[in-house]
Amino acid sequence: EKGGHRHWMAKEIAEQPAVLAACLDHYLAAEGGIVLPEGEVDFSAVTRIVMVACGTASYACLTAKYWIERLAGIPVEVDVASEFRYREPPLTPGTLAIFVSQSGETADTLAALRYCRGRIPTVAVVNVASSSIAREADIALPIHAGREIGVASTKAFTCQLAVLAVLALHAAASKGSEIARDVAELGRMPALLSQALGTEDELEAIARDLAEARDVLFLGRGAMYPLALEGALKLKEISYIHAEAYAAGELKHGPIALVDDSVPVIVFAPTDALFAKTASNVQEVMARGGRVVLVTDAGGAERIEGAWRVAVMPTIAPLWAPLLYAIPAQLLAYHTAIAKGTDVDQPRNLAKSVTVE
Ligand code: M6R
């Protein structure tokens, strides 16, 4: 039933190209536009967006903030649900609230939705279409990931990103922007994820070394920063190695004090507009003896010398890079956990769905 895989998590990582393609099929029109079959989300009067979620889903929101602000020019605030619900934030006119949840039953996210419901328009991005969050939001957009069993979320994350990308593109189009090229690039992502899965052996070899570490740092800039957060969460959850993520530019404001030759520093750095800045942070880490695991593309690998390990991903349109780099983030965590012998599908102290606060 695990399709020949040792763990649900391995199966769910491997099926992402197919699941993502099925998800995008629901939202990308053959002629190059966007379809939102479950109900049109009206962005015309939206001047502010608040996004609320927990854990991995909150990192999907943080990624979408970069996309929506860049593509549609609408300011986005992201909150973890446990903070949002008790802060009683002002819901100003023109605000749209988006709730993201795989299970659709997370207690804090549901409570945050109930706080907004009836006061501002609410959209839910959910995997379980019959869930409370799906039922109670004005509009529910399913991510079509299929049942996710592994406690560590993998395919739900990439499908959440896909639906949020679609929403960002839809918002951009409703503000009058041309989106055809970005839609086409999004449609190519399933094939590119397959290529990224082809680097599994290299990532497994890196993970065997990571398993020796007590602490691991993750760095990224722009939309790769939320991915660094996601990579660190995945590693913590299933390998129990202490991991922290920072925006690469924050390094010299404190975290660089942690760097020495016992701390692997995983850097997600596709060749994009911010590459040179990230590369200079990599140099700072290496100058302090830090062991850099550089996850980049062929062009990036040529531009940085002296990394401890390098994993080369396919070269892609930088906008959607977080979708692709989710694969190495997941595989590094998975194989590190395997090397440590931890219970990948049922990590200690964790539940698949957190229905109590
Ligand atoms: O079902 P939800 O998406 O609302 O769950 C949110 C978090 O509990 C969840 O993403 C959690 O962080 C995962 N274990 C991450 O792998």
Side-chain angles (χ1 to χ4, degrees):
E1 63 181 349
K2 292 178 197 149
H5 294 278
R6 243 171 103 187
H7 299 100
W8 287 110
M9 185 182 178
K11 173 179 182 281
E12 288 163 1
I13 290 173
E15 70 192 15
Q16 285 175 106
V19 171
L20 183 66
C23 170
L24 288 173
D25 261 359
H26 282 87
Y27 294 105
L28 299 188
E31 61 280 7
I34 296 288
V35 249
L36 291 175
E38 331 292 334
E40 189 78 5
V41 186
D42 182 6
F43 282 99
S44 55
V46 174
T47 53
R48 170 183 177 242
I49 294 174
V50 295
M51 303 187 75
V52 183
C54 300
T56 285
S58 77
Y59 301 143
C61 293
L62 210 46
T63 312
K65 171 184 168 78
Y66 287 83
W67 289 339
I68 296 170
E69 292 187 346
R70 157 78 53 94
L71 296 172
I74 304 171
V76 177
E77 293 158 41
V78 179
D79 246 312
V80 289
S82 53
E83 289 301 313
F84 181 88
R85 62 180 290 196
Y86 292 115
R87 201 173 69 247
E88 301 191 1
L91 303 177
T92 47
T95 304
L96 170 75
I98 302 176
F99 302 86
V100 180
S101 175
Q102 186 284 130
S103 62
E105 301 296 347
T106 298
D108 284 322
T109 311
L110 180 58
L113 165 62
R114 288 179 175 158
Y115 173 76
C116 295
R117 229 187 117 176
R119 300 168 63 192
I120 54 172
T122 56
V123 175
V125 174
V126 286
N127 195 27
V128 182
S130 58
S131 61
S132 307
I133 290 174
R135 278 184 281 112
E136 294 193 24
D138 297 330
I139 294 172
L141 300 174
I143 63 169
H144 301 287
R147 188 160 173 226
E148 189 181 65
I149 294 172
V151 166
S153 187
T154 53
K155 62 177 180 169
F157 178 64
T158 40
C159 290
Q160 284 163 354
L161 288 181
V163 173
L164 293 172
V166 164
L167 271 179
L169 290 165
H170 177 60
S174 68
K175 302 282 178 196
S177 296
E178 181 50 61
I179 60 166
R181 228 186 77 201
D182 293 334
V183 170
E185 296 287 358
L186 187 59
R188 293 179 59 225
M189 292 312 295
L192 290 160
L193 260 64
S194 287
Q195 283 184 40
L197 286 167
T199 65
E200 179 158 5
D201 290 350
E202 290 158 62
L203 294 163
E204 183 181 355
I206 296 170
R208 277 197 293 271
D209 291 327
L210 289 179
E212 310 289 321
R214 208 187 58 175
D215 309 284
V216 174
L217 296 183
F218 285 76
L219 299 180
R221 266 180 194 264
M224 303 314 284
Y225 166 50
L227 192 75
L229 290 163
E230 169 63 2
L233 177 65
K234 221 88 299 177
L235 190 67
K236 278 184 269 213
E237 280 190 293
I238 58 171
S239 77
Y240 315 143
I241 292 174
H242 170 240
E244 296 290 336
Y246 294 98
E250 272 293 289
L251 199 64
K252 53 166 78 70
H253 299 282
I256 200 161
L258 297 170
V259 172
D260 65 19
D261 63 7
S262 72
V263 183
V265 181
I266 300 176
V267 186
F268 296 120
T271 313
D272 58 16
L274 300 171
F275 182 83
K277 310 252 175 234
T278 309
S280 100
N281 300 127
V282 167
Q283 299 298 346
E284 287 159 8
V285 169
M286 292 193 303
R288 283 151 188 90
R291 294 185 298 169
V292 171
V293 176
L294 180 65
V295 186
T296 183
D297 48 37
E302 272 178 21
R303 285 167 64 184
I304 297 180
E305 271 178 27
W308 179 53
R309 297 278 189 277
V310 182
V312 180
M313 296 298 122
T315 302
I316 62 158
L319 184 65
W320 307 130
L323 268 163
L324 184 84
Y325 282 67
I327 299 287
Q330 295 164 356
L331 286 174
L332 284 172
Y334 175 74
H335 286 294
T336 304
I338 297 295
K340 291 203 72 172
T342 51
D343 185 343
V344 171
D345 282 333
Q346 283 295 331
R348 68 186 182 200
N349 308 342
L350 295 177
K352 180 64 184 159
S353 180
V354 183
T355 53
V356 290
E357 65 171 308

